[in-house]
Amino acid sequence: HIVVQGATCQCKFSVEPKTDKLMVKTHTKHYANDKDGSKKLIASDKDIGQTLKKNTFGKCKKQPAGSDYLPCLAQITKWSGIYEKIVLSNQGKLLLEDSKGTCPMGAPDCITITDHGQTAEVTKQNVENSKPEVLNEIFPAVDFEDLDNAVLMIENKA
């Protein structure tokens, strides 16, 4: 899967371990897994620096301070394991769910993506392309004889 805004990241040097959400700040043009094209921006290798929602993974094992550890100040300097065949308008290449980030406090590839951020959404096209008997199993309370009303009912629940 390609990675989108809201993907969950984790650092292997986090004491707790805590996660943080990836924020796409390098463009406002390319979306995936978002039927309205307004929420799920595609992440790229240009999303570096302080590009996480909280910019922390809790306390950092690489920063001992007496009997405790200093707080993590997450800053991604580089991504590896990117998809090279597509280049976005920001000249970035796509991040994949197995891409890894490097932090100057940690080590190369210390930040992993634990969830790519995509979610399944039912659209009108999904319903129109499905067999009625399958739809009746998934949505037993919906009458698919009247497809237009069924599609409206499903879209309003999604």
Side-chain angles (χ1 to χ4, degrees), residues 91-116:
Q91 299 309 304
K93 296 174 182 166
L94 305 184
L95 296 185
L96 301 173
E97 61 188 322
D98 58 351
S99 297
K100 293 182 176 28
T102 296
C103 172
M105 286 295 171
D109 299 340
C110 63
I111 298 170
T112 58
I113 297 167
T114 59
D115 178 51
H116 48 71

Side-chain angles (χ1 to χ4, degrees), residues 29 42 49 52 107 133 142:
K29 187 173 184 177
I42 297 173
L52 300 170
E133 57 271 14
V142 178

